[in-house]
Amino acid sequence: MDEKLLTLNMLKSGMFLLLLFCGWVYVVTATVSYDGHAIIIDGKRRILISGSIHYPRSTPEMWPGLIQNAKQGGLDVIQTYVFWNGHEPSQGKYNFQGRYDLVRFIKLIQQAGLYVHLRIGPYVCAEWNLGGFPVWLKYVPGIEFRTDNAPFKAAMQGFTQKIVNMMKAEKLFESQGGPIILSQIENEYELMEYDIGNPGKVYAKWAANMAVGLGTGVPWVMCKQADAPDPIINSCNGFYCENFFPNQGYKPKMWTELWTAWLLGFGEAVPYRPVEDMAFAVARFIQNKGTFVNYYMYHGGTNFERTAGRFVATSYDYDAPIDEYGLVREPKWSHLRNLHKAIKLCETALVNANPTVTSLGNNQEAHVYSWGGACAAFLANYDTKYSVKVNFGNVQYNLPPWSISILPDCKNVVFNTAMVSFPGKHLQMTPVGTAFFWQSYTEAPPSVDDKKSFTANGLREQLSVTWDTTDYLWYMTNVNINNNEAFLKNGQLPVLTVASAGHALHVFINGQLAGTVYGNIDDPRLTFSGQVNLKAGLNQISLLSISAGLQNIGTHFEQWNIGILGPVTLKGLNSGTWDMSQWQWSYKIGVEGEALGLYSNQGSSSVNWASGTSLAKRRPLTWYKTTFDAPGGNDPLALDMSYMSKGQIWINGNSIGRHWPAYKASGSCNQCSYAGTYNQTKCLSGCGGPSQKWYHVPRSWLRPTGNLLVVFEEWGGDPSAISFVKRTY
Ligand SMILES: *[C@@H]1O[C@H](CO)[C@@H](O)[C@H](O)[C@H]1NC(C)=O
């Protein structure tokens, strides 16, 4: 070895040592830990304001704007679930593209200087199809979800590991210099654990150990999991969490889901939550040792395609501070931003001291944090009716009902939760005036002779047949009516009864729609029972059974059935009642237009479309198409579907989700006061109207000209009443 090389090698190893040293220093500073006061990032205790934004519920083109609105709203952290069924739609085939580009989403958050709370689950609930589990998982032999079951645990570990490894490879954990400061394993498991007993306990422990074993370098959270083992932090989800405390004094008090309102179900009125009550709930949590608050949702977004859970609407707006379309909702957004500013002024005292609580009256309290020279006070009035004057530090303060004043110096009020100073900017929908020229194509209901049908004895459960590749499954049979049946003469038509596990059903007799029935978000089951117009000879019965999203919550929710399970009977014949449940039935998966791809540019040319005076109106099983130029400007867009009934919508082949404006909102929409304990039925709007009439059309899915809009209408509607609207202030 010559001298030069030796020197070079020495130099290299010196540099290596230097690098190693830097790396070591780096690792020491880049850490996330916690104590009883707070999450500690790089050695500093922090009050963290977080908000949920679920990446597949918006488009990548919307992400930067959403993240900026979150940052300007005073957020430190963005929280998201990871959506397994979106990432692994069929076993071993992964998708991390487009709306499922998780790495891109996290890197955008990092670029904005915010942190990430990554809730891997992989059970997420989330009002999302099958709670985020892929449908194929249900058909893994011997599997039982979310319990001490070997095939399930293997699959769960595999996916969790894959996500963690992907984050590590991209250096996205804070311990690597990335933005992810927290993760989550499982999700709201304690109720199910309680239900199923010991196997649940074993599973929860296993999940915790498995997660910790992945060595992310950042803490794990289990929400609603009072027995979460160390070092995992158990956290609270709810409308209020001030009385929650973690299971050890050395864990910080975290609120992983502060519900900003509630999900919208088809058939339900639209829930909203007054911002005065939300701000009150946050201040109440913070004044009582809370140090991490996450808004669920900060941006709710849209359940595109068929991603919505059972009877969950396509809109997932959630009355969030950023609305479904990406615009800030006022005064909610600004009032909460001001709240966050006030809380941050108190940070030093909050993260270092314990509160001293004193009574200021019957229903009034002061919570004072004082540390070194820092002093922060929260003056609370829990009374739901009366404003109260209280004395604090020899000064009189006026507290509106159900409110908290924040005094970052223990003297001056910078914020009161009930005093909304922001002048309301009201969001509205305005017509953009695009005229559509519609064409229609009506499918005939299939019969037992259909070439794509197959037969089976008895009634088959729908999901086991379709594996959720479509919402639709046809159940078909023929009924032979003898000439001597009495009803043919006396006109007393027989009664067909069809019992289904859900979710909706159209009954066709000899090609004609004879009736439509559907369940609801609380009970998906339904029964059709009605007289049917049978004739002498052969009659075709074609039953279109429809899924409206898969169950996403409950103990062993994977065991929920859908489809026509029977009994199916025909009553009022000479021989009495026929039980058809055990007959041979023919099945056809999906509707014809799906197989032809009528929603796409290519497929839509495969049939002859009618237009003008032959345009089909108020006809079931009808496809509509039109081409249009993108409306000018940048305002977000939606389709007003008020006069359509039920089906699905596509723009340039992209599914914007299920429409169901025929399902009118039940519930009572009384005046609601911000004061007093909130719940999901307290404040509702839109009673009696369609639960959802506007359907978000992402701008980025449009070209300047020649866009294809396709609507499949199962039930019957008038497409000439479909209009484009824009979302503006
Ligand atoms: C929800 O709030 C309303 C109005 O305050 C109340 O009447 C109702 O009983 C509450 N429901 C539940 C489940 O607490």
Side-chain angles (χ1 to χ4, degrees):
M1 189 181 285
D2 79 36
E3 236 179 5
K4 255 195 215 152
L5 195 61
L6 193 68
T7 319
L8 194 65
N9 273 339
M10 281 171 65
L11 202 65
K12 264 191 188 163
S13 58
M15 272 171 63
F16 177 68
L17 270 176
L18 201 69
L19 277 175
L20 197 71
F21 183 69
C22 289
W24 178 73
V25 170
Y26 192 62
V27 167
V28 166
T29 53
T31 58
V32 185
S33 60
Y34 61 77
D35 64 13
H37 284 291
I39 297 287
I40 302 169
I41 303 174
D42 300 345
K44 211 172 155 236
R45 289 195 191 116
R46 298 288 305 273
I47 297 284
L48 294 168
I49 309 292
S50 175
S52 290
I53 301 177
H54 294 158
Y55 52 97
R57 284 178 156 142
S58 54
T59 58
E61 292 76 10
M62 290 172 70
W63 294 345
L66 297 176
I67 294 164
Q68 274 312 311
N69 280 338
K71 184 175 183 170
Q72 281 156 24
L75 263 55
D76 307 294
V77 183
I78 287 174
Q79 185 201 70
T80 184
Y81 282 129
V82 175
F83 296 86
W84 187 357
N85 52 11
H87 291 303
E88 197 179 354
S90 52
Q91 195 167 10
K93 294 220 171 74
Y94 292 97
N95 173 24
F96 290 93
Q97 302 291 312
R99 287 185 293 117
Y100 291 95
D101 194 343
L102 175 59
V103 167
R104 177 171 167 190
F105 181 68
I106 294 177
K107 286 186 174 173
L108 284 169
I109 297 170
Q110 180 176 28
Q111 281 161 26
L114 300 182
Y115 296 120
V116 173
H117 180 197
L118 192 68
R119 304 171 90 191
I120 300 176
Y123 169 69
V124 297
C125 190
E127 287 81 69
W128 190 260
N129 204 43
L130 207 61
F133 287 140
V135 172
W136 55 259
L137 189 67
K138 180 175 156 157
Y139 298 101
V140 169
I143 205 154
E144 266 185 274
F145 287 0
R146 304 177 74 203
T147 186
D148 187 23
N149 169 276
F152 177 76
K153 290 192 299 184
M156 170 168 167
Q157 179 163 4
F159 182 74
T160 306
Q161 209 155 22
K162 181 172 181 80
I163 295 298
V164 165
N165 288 344
M166 181 179 281
M167 299 301 114
K168 281 185 182 172
E170 300 281 347
K171 305 229 178 310
L172 293 176
F173 287 106
E174 214 275 347
S175 50
Q176 305 172 287
I180 303 172
I181 54 167
L182 295 162
S183 284
Q184 178 178 303
I185 195 73
E186 252 296 338
N187 189 49
E188 298 191 343
Y189 185 66
E190 77 186 357
L191 250 183
M192 178 160 165
E193 178 178 333
Y194 179 81
D195 270 2
I196 65 177
N198 197 52
K201 280 199 171 32
V202 172
Y203 164 72
K205 256 218 174 88
W206 169 84
N209 288 334
M210 184 272 285
V212 171
L214 295 175
T216 61
V218 303
W220 288 87
V221 171
M222 290 176 101
C223 62
K224 282 195 171 178
Q225 186 74 45
D227 64 358
D230 288 359
I232 293 184
I233 306 164
N234 63 309
S235 63
C236 184
N237 295 348
F239 290 117
Y240 304 93
C241 277
E242 64 274 7
N243 295 323
F244 162 87
F245 277 92
N247 61 18
Q248 299 291 349
Y250 45 81
K251 296 179 184 178
K253 174 166 165 171
M254 295 178 62
W255 192 355
T256 33
E257 291 186 15
L258 184 181
W259 299 328
T260 55
W262 199 243
L263 70 110
L264 176 63
F266 283 124
E268 306 283 300
V270 183
Y272 65 96
R273 185 174 184 184
V275 70
E276 296 92 333
D277 177 61
M278 279 177 61
F280 180 67
V282 172
R284 223 169 151 168
F285 182 71
I286 298 286
Q287 73 170 5
N288 211 10
K289 278 203 80 175
T291 55
F292 177 102
V293 178
N294 176 74
Y295 296 100
Y296 188 102
M297 303 292 296
Y298 197 75
H299 168 259
T302 309
N303 295 312
F304 296 114
E305 304 175 82
R306 300 187 302 109
T307 58
R310 201 195 70 196
F311 284 99
V312 174
T314 297
S315 169
Y316 197 66
D317 181 84
Y318 231 93
D319 197 29
I322 306 176
D323 82 347
E324 176 177 4
Y325 299 87
L327 302 176
V328 297
R329 172 173 271 124
E330 299 294 13
K332 199 170 247 191
W333 183 86
S334 290
H335 191 57
L336 294 175
R337 179 199 56 193
N338 295 347
L339 166 69
H340 305 151
K341 278 185 190 159
I343 290 170
K344 286 301 171 71
L345 292 173
C346 306
E347 187 172 23
T348 305
L350 287 173
V351 298
N352 289 300
N354 287 322
T356 307
V357 183
T358 52
S359 172
L360 300 176
N362 271 344
N363 235 339
Q364 294 76 34
E365 279 175 352
H367 291 234
V368 179
Y369 290 77
S370 112
W371 183 77
C375 182
F378 292 70
L379 308 183
N381 177 15
Y382 307 116
D383 197 286
T384 58
K385 286 205 184 75
Y386 300 107
S387 284
V388 177
K389 288 192 169 58
V390 296
N391 283 305
F392 175 71
N394 291 325
V395 181
Q396 202 175 58
Y397 297 89
N398 187 40
L399 302 176
W402 200 253
S403 83
I404 293 175
S405 284
I406 300 178
L407 295 65
D409 58 357
C410 285
K411 288 196 187 73
N412 295 293
V413 176
V414 300
F415 185 86
N416 176 277
T417 56
M419 292 166 75
V420 182
S421 59
F422 193 85
K425 274 203 291 181
H426 192 63
L427 281 164
Q428 56 195 358
M429 293 299 197
T430 45
V432 299
T434 304
F436 294 124
F437 172 78
W438 289 102
Q439 297 176 282
S440 66
Y441 172 77
T442 302
E443 292 188 12
S447 68
V448 295
D449 316 315
D450 192 281
K451 280 201 277 306
K452 286 188 194 133
S453 69
F454 64 92
T455 57
N457 287 325
L459 296 161
R460 297 270 310 266
E461 196 275 330
Q462 180 163 340
L463 196 58
S464 66
V465 177
T466 64
W467 276 37
D468 202 38
T469 52
T470 166
D471 279 357
Y472 305 110
L473 180 63
W474 288 100
Y475 293 69
M476 300 166 290
T477 192
N478 282 341
V479 176
N480 208 345
I481 296 296
N482 202 300
N483 279 326
N484 65 13
E485 285 291 346
F487 80 85
L488 293 171
K489 293 190 189 68
N490 67 21
Q492 288 287 322
L493 293 174
V495 173
L496 176 70
T497 300
V498 181
S500 164
H503 304 137
L505 173 68
H506 301 300
V507 175
F508 293 87
I509 305 292
N510 297 323
Q512 298 299 309
L513 183 62
T516 292
V517 277
Y518 40 87
N520 62 59
I521 197 162
D522 297 321
D523 186 353
R525 292 170 301 176
L526 57 96
T527 301
F528 169 85
S529 194
Q531 289 191 316
V532 286
N533 201 352
L534 301 179
K535 58 185 198 304
L538 212 57
N539 293 268
Q540 290 174 5
I541 297 183
S542 308
L543 308 172
L544 183 58
S545 177
I546 305 154
S547 157
L550 302 180
Q551 182 72 15
N552 61 276
I553 191 168
T555 301
H556 285 306
F557 67 90
E558 78 272 22
Q559 291 169 7
W560 284 70
N561 289 325
I562 53 173
I564 300 164
L565 300 180
V568 176
T569 61
L570 195 58
K571 189 175 157 189
L573 300 149
N574 289 353
S575 58
T577 300
W578 297 352
D579 186 347
M580 302 155 72
S581 314
Q582 303 306 322
W583 287 16
Q584 187 180 69
W585 286 83
S586 293
Y587 295 87
K588 189 183 181 190
I589 297 170
V591 293
E592 184 195 3
E594 288 179 299
L596 295 172
L598 293 188
Y599 47 82
S600 68
N601 261 310
Q602 237 182 352
S604 74
S605 57
S606 60
V607 296
N608 288 321
W609 297 79
S611 60
T613 50
S614 351
L615 184 78
K617 283 188 183 174
R618 294 177 197 90
R619 292 264 300 272
L621 303 180
T622 299
W623 293 78
Y624 295 102
K625 76 162 180 172
T626 184
T627 51
F628 64 95
D629 296 343
N634 292 317
D635 296 317
L637 298 168
L639 288 168
D640 184 338
M641 301 291 287
S642 298
Y643 296 94
M644 300 302 281
S645 295
K646 182 182 188 309
Q648 294 175 45
I649 312 166
W650 293 263
I651 297 271
N652 293 326
N654 297 303
S655 165
I656 72 171
R658 301 183 179 100
H659 70 272
W660 198 347
Y663 210 154
K664 301 294 190 270
S666 62
S668 81
C669 293
N670 299 326
Q671 264 310 102
C672 110
S673 160
Y674 81 85
T677 304
Y678 178 83
N679 67 42
Q680 65 267 38
T681 59
K682 185 180 173 189
C683 303
L684 301 172
S685 68
C687 291
S691 294
Q692 186 182 351
K693 67 175 180 179
W694 291 309
Y695 294 82
H696 182 201
V697 176
R699 274 269 176 195
S700 61
W701 291 4
L702 298 181
R703 300 184 283 262
T705 59
N707 296 287
L708 177 69
L709 166 59
V710 176
V711 175
F712 174 54
E713 176 55 53
E714 298 165 10
W715 195 358
D718 181 359
S720 59
I722 296 176
S723 67
F724 245 132
V725 292
K726 59 182 179 182
R727 186 80 163 157
T728 56
Y729 290 106

